[in-house]
Amino acid sequence: HPSALTEGGLAAALPELAGRASVPVELRADDGRAPAPIEAAAYFVCAEALTNVAKYAGATRVTIDVRREPARLTVTIAAE
């Protein structure tokens, strides 16, 4: 796990991940923490999506939207 994920959660770790992406990433993430296993799964879904965008999508930008609700974390990833 990245230390930013462990220490600060998705809101802290995703900007670092987006900064390493091959295309510009617009990132929206709600504050607050979800349980660690859920945050880790969401982080690695985003990481894999950005890898796939670079390899296959031919996209010029990506949007990642993370919404936290009381019993749910929703991650939406769109490539353009």
Side-chain angles (χ1 to χ4, degrees), residues 4-5 8-15 26-35 38-39 42 46 63-76:
L5 180 61
L10 282 173
L14 288 178
E26 180 182 340
L27 180 61
R28 294 183 295 261
D30 288 345
D31 291 332
R33 299 292 304 259
I38 293 171
E39 286 189 333
C46 292
T63 301
I64 298 175
D65 186 25
V66 180
R67 298 287 170 218
R68 188 173 169 270
E69 300 172 26
R72 177 181 314 186
L73 184 73
T74 303
V75 178
T76 305

CSV table of all heavy atoms in Angstrom, one decimal, residues 4-5 8-15 26-35 38-39 42 46 63-76:
chain,number,residue,atom,x,y,z
A,4,ALA,N,0.6,7.2,1.6
A,4,ALA,CA,-0.4,8.2,1.6
A,4,ALA,C,-1.8,7.6,1.7
A,4,ALA,O,-2.7,8.2,2.4
A,4,ALA,CB,-0.4,9.0,0.3
A,5,LEU,N,-2.0,6.4,1.2
A,5,LEU,CA,-3.3,5.7,1.4
A,5,LEU,C,-3.5,5.3,2.8
A,5,LEU,O,-4.5,5.5,3.4
A,5,LEU,CB,-3.4,4.5,0.4
A,5,LEU,CG,-4.6,3.7,0.5
A,5,LEU,CD1,-5.9,4.5,0.1
A,5,LEU,CD2,-4.5,2.5,-0.4
A,8,GLY,N,-3.5,8.9,4.9
A,8,GLY,CA,-4.5,9.9,4.6
A,8,GLY,C,-5.7,9.5,3.9
A,8,GLY,O,-6.6,10.3,3.7
A,9,GLY,N,-5.8,8.2,3.5
A,9,GLY,CA,-6.9,7.7,2.8
A,9,GLY,C,-6.9,8.1,1.3
A,9,GLY,O,-5.9,8.6,0.8
A,10,LEU,N,-8.0,7.8,0.6
A,10,LEU,CA,-8.1,8.0,-0.8
A,10,LEU,C,-7.9,9.4,-1.2
A,10,LEU,O,-7.2,9.7,-2.2
A,10,LEU,CB,-9.5,7.5,-1.3
A,10,LEU,CG,-9.7,6.0,-1.5
A,10,LEU,CD1,-11.1,5.8,-1.8
A,10,LEU,CD2,-8.8,5.5,-2.5
A,11,ALA,N,-8.4,10.4,-0.4
A,11,ALA,CA,-8.3,11.8,-0.8
A,11,ALA,C,-6.9,12.2,-0.8
A,11,ALA,O,-6.5,13.1,-1.5
A,11,ALA,CB,-9.1,12.6,0.2
A,12,ALA,N,-6.0,11.6,0.0
A,12,ALA,CA,-4.6,11.9,0.0
A,12,ALA,C,-3.8,11.1,-1.1
A,12,ALA,O,-2.9,11.6,-1.7
A,12,ALA,CB,-4.0,11.6,1.3
A,13,ALA,N,-4.2,9.8,-1.3
A,13,ALA,CA,-3.4,9.0,-2.2
A,13,ALA,C,-3.7,9.2,-3.7
A,13,ALA,O,-2.9,9.0,-4.5
A,13,ALA,CB,-3.7,7.5,-1.8
A,14,LEU,N,-5.0,9.5,-4.0
A,14,LEU,CA,-5.3,9.6,-5.4
A,14,LEU,C,-4.7,10.7,-6.2
A,14,LEU,O,-4.3,10.6,-7.3
A,14,LEU,CB,-6.9,9.7,-5.6
A,14,LEU,CG,-7.6,8.3,-5.3
A,14,LEU,CD1,-9.1,8.5,-5.4
A,14,LEU,CD2,-7.1,7.2,-6.2
A,15,PRO,N,-4.4,11.9,-5.5
A,15,PRO,CA,-3.7,12.9,-6.3
A,15,PRO,C,-2.3,12.5,-6.7
A,15,PRO,O,-1.8,12.8,-7.8
A,15,PRO,CB,-3.7,14.1,-5.3
A,15,PRO,CG,-4.9,13.9,-4.5
A,15,PRO,CD,-5.0,12.4,-4.3
A,26,GLU,N,-8.8,14.6,-14.0
A,26,GLU,CA,-9.6,15.4,-13.1
A,26,GLU,C,-10.1,14.5,-12.0
A,26,GLU,O,-10.7,13.5,-12.2
A,26,GLU,CB,-10.8,16.0,-13.9
A,26,GLU,CG,-11.7,16.9,-13.1
A,26,GLU,CD,-12.9,17.4,-13.8
A,26,GLU,OE1,-12.9,17.4,-15.1
A,26,GLU,OE2,-13.9,17.8,-13.2
A,27,LEU,N,-9.8,15.0,-10.8
A,27,LEU,CA,-10.1,14.1,-9.6
A,27,LEU,C,-11.1,14.8,-8.7
A,27,LEU,O,-10.8,16.0,-8.3
A,27,LEU,CB,-8.8,13.8,-8.9
A,27,LEU,CG,-8.8,13.0,-7.7
A,27,LEU,CD1,-9.4,11.6,-8.0
A,27,LEU,CD2,-7.4,12.9,-7.1
A,28,ARG,N,-12.1,14.1,-8.3
A,28,ARG,CA,-13.1,14.6,-7.3
A,28,ARG,C,-13.2,13.5,-6.3
A,28,ARG,O,-13.5,12.4,-6.6
A,28,ARG,CB,-14.4,15.0,-7.9
A,28,ARG,CG,-14.4,16.1,-8.9
A,28,ARG,CD,-15.7,16.5,-9.4
A,28,ARG,NE,-16.3,15.4,-10.2
A,28,ARG,CZ,-16.3,15.4,-11.5
A,28,ARG,NH1,-15.7,16.3,-12.2
A,28,ARG,NH2,-16.9,14.4,-12.2
A,29,ALA,N,-12.9,13.8,-5.0
A,29,ALA,CA,-13.0,12.8,-4.0
A,29,ALA,C,-13.6,13.4,-2.7
A,29,ALA,O,-13.1,14.5,-2.3
A,29,ALA,CB,-11.7,12.2,-3.7
A,30,ASP,N,-14.6,12.8,-2.2
A,30,ASP,CA,-15.2,13.3,-0.9
A,30,ASP,C,-14.2,13.1,0.2
A,30,ASP,O,-13.4,12.1,0.2
A,30,ASP,CB,-16.4,12.5,-0.6
A,30,ASP,CG,-17.6,12.8,-1.5
A,30,ASP,OD1,-17.6,13.9,-2.2
A,30,ASP,OD2,-18.6,12.1,-1.5
A,31,ASP,N,-14.2,14.0,1.2
A,31,ASP,CA,-13.4,13.8,2.4
A,31,ASP,C,-14.0,12.7,3.2
A,31,ASP,O,-15.1,12.2,3.0
A,31,ASP,CB,-13.4,15.1,3.2
A,31,ASP,CG,-12.7,16.2,2.5
A,31,ASP,OD1,-11.7,15.9,1.7
A,31,ASP,OD2,-13.0,17.4,2.8
A,32,GLY,N,-13.2,12.3,4.2
A,32,GLY,CA,-13.6,11.2,5.1
A,32,GLY,C,-13.0,9.9,4.7
A,32,GLY,O,-12.4,9.7,3.6
A,33,ARG,N,-13.1,9.0,5.6
A,33,ARG,CA,-12.4,7.7,5.4
A,33,ARG,C,-13.4,6.6,5.3
A,33,ARG,O,-14.4,6.6,6.0
A,33,ARG,CB,-11.5,7.4,6.6
A,33,ARG,CG,-10.3,8.3,6.8
A,33,ARG,CD,-9.2,8.3,5.8
A,33,ARG,NE,-8.7,7.0,5.5
A,33,ARG,CZ,-7.5,6.6,6.0
A,33,ARG,NH1,-6.8,7.4,6.8
A,33,ARG,NH2,-7.0,5.4,5.7
A,34,ALA,N,-13.1,5.6,4.5
A,34,ALA,CA,-13.9,4.3,4.5
A,34,ALA,C,-13.0,3.3,5.1
A,34,ALA,O,-11.8,3.5,5.4
A,34,ALA,CB,-14.1,3.9,3.0
A,35,PRO,N,-13.5,2.1,5.4
A,35,PRO,CA,-12.7,1.1,6.0
A,35,PRO,C,-11.4,0.8,5.1
A,35,PRO,O,-11.5,0.9,3.9
A,35,PRO,CB,-13.6,-0.2,6.1
A,35,PRO,CG,-15.0,0.4,6.2
A,35,PRO,CD,-14.9,1.7,5.3
A,38,ILE,N,-11.6,-1.3,1.9
A,38,ILE,CA,-12.4,-0.7,0.8
A,38,ILE,C,-11.6,0.4,0.2
A,38,ILE,O,-11.6,0.5,-1.1
A,38,ILE,CB,-13.7,-0.2,1.4
A,38,ILE,CG1,-14.6,-1.4,1.8
A,38,ILE,CG2,-14.5,0.7,0.4
A,38,ILE,CD1,-15.9,-1.0,2.6
A,39,GLU,N,-10.9,1.2,0.9
A,39,GLU,CA,-10.1,2.2,0.4
A,39,GLU,C,-9.0,1.6,-0.5
A,39,GLU,O,-8.7,2.1,-1.6
A,39,GLU,CB,-9.4,3.1,1.4
A,39,GLU,CG,-10.4,4.0,2.1
A,39,GLU,CD,-9.7,5.0,3.0
A,39,GLU,OE1,-8.6,4.7,3.5
A,39,GLU,OE2,-10.2,6.1,3.1
A,42,ALA,N,-10.5,0.4,-3.8
A,42,ALA,CA,-10.8,1.5,-4.7
A,42,ALA,C,-9.5,2.1,-5.3
A,42,ALA,O,-9.5,2.5,-6.5
A,42,ALA,CB,-11.6,2.6,-3.9
A,46,CYS,N,-8.6,2.3,-9.3
A,46,CYS,CA,-8.2,3.5,-10.0
A,46,CYS,C,-6.8,3.3,-10.7
A,46,CYS,O,-6.6,3.7,-11.8
A,46,CYS,CB,-8.2,4.7,-9.1
A,46,CYS,SG,-9.8,5.1,-8.5
A,63,THR,N,-11.4,11.3,-15.9
A,63,THR,CA,-12.1,11.8,-14.7
A,63,THR,C,-12.3,10.7,-13.7
A,63,THR,O,-12.8,9.6,-14.1
A,63,THR,CB,-13.5,12.4,-15.1
A,63,THR,OG1,-13.2,13.5,-16.0
A,63,THR,CG2,-14.1,13.0,-13.8
A,64,ILE,N,-11.9,10.9,-12.5
A,64,ILE,CA,-12.2,10.0,-11.4
A,64,ILE,C,-13.0,10.7,-10.3
A,64,ILE,O,-12.6,11.8,-9.9
A,64,ILE,CB,-10.8,9.5,-10.8
A,64,ILE,CG1,-10.0,8.7,-11.8
A,64,ILE,CG2,-11.2,8.6,-9.5
A,64,ILE,CD1,-8.6,8.3,-11.3
A,65,ASP,N,-14.1,10.1,-10.0
A,65,ASP,CA,-15.0,10.7,-9.1
A,65,ASP,C,-15.3,9.7,-8.0
A,65,ASP,O,-15.8,8.6,-8.2
A,65,ASP,CB,-16.3,11.1,-9.8
A,65,ASP,CG,-17.3,11.8,-8.9
A,65,ASP,OD1,-16.9,12.5,-7.9
A,65,ASP,OD2,-18.5,11.8,-9.2
A,66,VAL,N,-14.9,10.0,-6.7
A,66,VAL,CA,-15.1,9.1,-5.6
A,66,VAL,C,-16.1,9.8,-4.6
A,66,VAL,O,-15.9,10.9,-4.1
A,66,VAL,CB,-13.8,8.9,-4.9
A,66,VAL,CG1,-14.0,8.0,-3.7
A,66,VAL,CG2,-12.7,8.3,-5.8
A,67,ARG,N,-17.2,9.1,-4.4
A,67,ARG,CA,-18.3,9.6,-3.5
A,67,ARG,C,-18.5,8.6,-2.4
A,67,ARG,O,-18.6,7.4,-2.5
A,67,ARG,CB,-19.6,9.7,-4.3
A,67,ARG,CG,-19.6,10.6,-5.4
A,67,ARG,CD,-19.6,12.1,-4.9
A,67,ARG,NE,-19.3,13.0,-6.0
A,67,ARG,CZ,-18.5,14.0,-5.9
A,67,ARG,NH1,-18.0,14.3,-4.8
A,67,ARG,NH2,-18.3,14.8,-6.9
A,68,ARG,N,-18.5,9.2,-1.2
A,68,ARG,CA,-18.6,8.4,0.0
A,68,ARG,C,-20.0,8.6,0.6
A,68,ARG,O,-20.4,9.8,0.8
A,68,ARG,CB,-17.5,8.9,1.0
A,68,ARG,CG,-17.5,8.0,2.3
A,68,ARG,CD,-16.3,8.4,3.1
A,68,ARG,NE,-16.3,7.8,4.4
A,68,ARG,CZ,-16.9,8.3,5.4
A,68,ARG,NH1,-17.5,9.5,5.4
A,68,ARG,NH2,-16.9,7.7,6.6
A,69,GLU,N,-20.7,7.6,0.9
A,69,GLU,CA,-22.0,7.6,1.5
A,69,GLU,C,-21.9,6.8,2.8
A,69,GLU,O,-20.9,6.0,3.0
A,69,GLU,CB,-23.1,7.0,0.5
A,69,GLU,CG,-23.2,7.8,-0.7
A,69,GLU,CD,-24.1,7.2,-1.8
A,69,GLU,OE1,-25.0,6.4,-1.4
A,69,GLU,OE2,-23.8,7.4,-3.0
A,70,PRO,N,-22.9,6.8,3.6
A,70,PRO,CA,-22.8,6.1,4.9
A,70,PRO,C,-22.4,4.6,4.7
A,70,PRO,O,-21.6,4.1,5.5
A,70,PRO,CB,-24.2,6.3,5.5
A,70,PRO,CG,-24.6,7.6,5.0
A,70,PRO,CD,-24.1,7.6,3.6
A,71,ALA,N,-23.0,3.9,3.8
A,71,ALA,CA,-22.8,2.5,3.7
A,71,ALA,C,-22.2,2.1,2.3
A,71,ALA,O,-22.3,0.9,1.9
A,71,ALA,CB,-24.1,1.7,3.9
A,72,ARG,N,-21.6,3.1,1.6
A,72,ARG,CA,-21.2,2.8,0.2
A,72,ARG,C,-20.1,3.8,-0.2
A,72,ARG,O,-20.1,4.9,0.2
A,72,ARG,CB,-22.4,3.0,-0.7
A,72,ARG,CG,-22.1,2.8,-2.1
A,72,ARG,CD,-23.3,3.0,-3.0
A,72,ARG,NE,-24.4,2.3,-2.4
A,72,ARG,CZ,-25.6,2.1,-2.9
A,72,ARG,NH1,-25.9,2.7,-4.0
A,72,ARG,NH2,-26.6,1.5,-2.3
A,73,LEU,N,-19.2,3.3,-1.0
A,73,LEU,CA,-18.2,4.1,-1.7
A,73,LEU,C,-18.3,3.9,-3.2
A,73,LEU,O,-18.2,2.7,-3.6
A,73,LEU,CB,-16.8,3.7,-1.2
A,73,LEU,CG,-15.6,4.6,-1.8
A,73,LEU,CD1,-15.7,6.0,-1.1
A,73,LEU,CD2,-14.3,3.9,-1.5
A,74,THR,N,-18.6,4.9,-3.9
A,74,THR,CA,-18.8,4.8,-5.3
A,74,THR,C,-17.6,5.4,-6.1
A,74,THR,O,-17.3,6.6,-5.8
A,74,THR,CB,-20.1,5.5,-5.8
A,74,THR,OG1,-21.2,4.9,-5.0
A,74,THR,CG2,-20.3,5.3,-7.3
A,75,VAL,N,-17.0,4.7,-7.0
A,75,VAL,CA,-15.9,5.2,-7.8
A,75,VAL,C,-16.4,5.2,-9.2
A,75,VAL,O,-16.7,4.1,-9.8
A,75,VAL,CB,-14.6,4.3,-7.6
A,75,VAL,CG1,-13.5,4.9,-8.5
A,75,VAL,CG2,-14.2,4.3,-6.2
A,76,THR,N,-16.3,6.3,-9.9
A,76,THR,CA,-16.7,6.4,-11.3
A,76,THR,C,-15.4,6.9,-12.0
A,76,THR,O,-14.8,7.9,-11.7
A,76,THR,CB,-17.8,7.4,-11.5
A,76,THR,OG1,-18.9,7.0,-10.7
A,76,THR,CG2,-18.2,7.4,-13.0
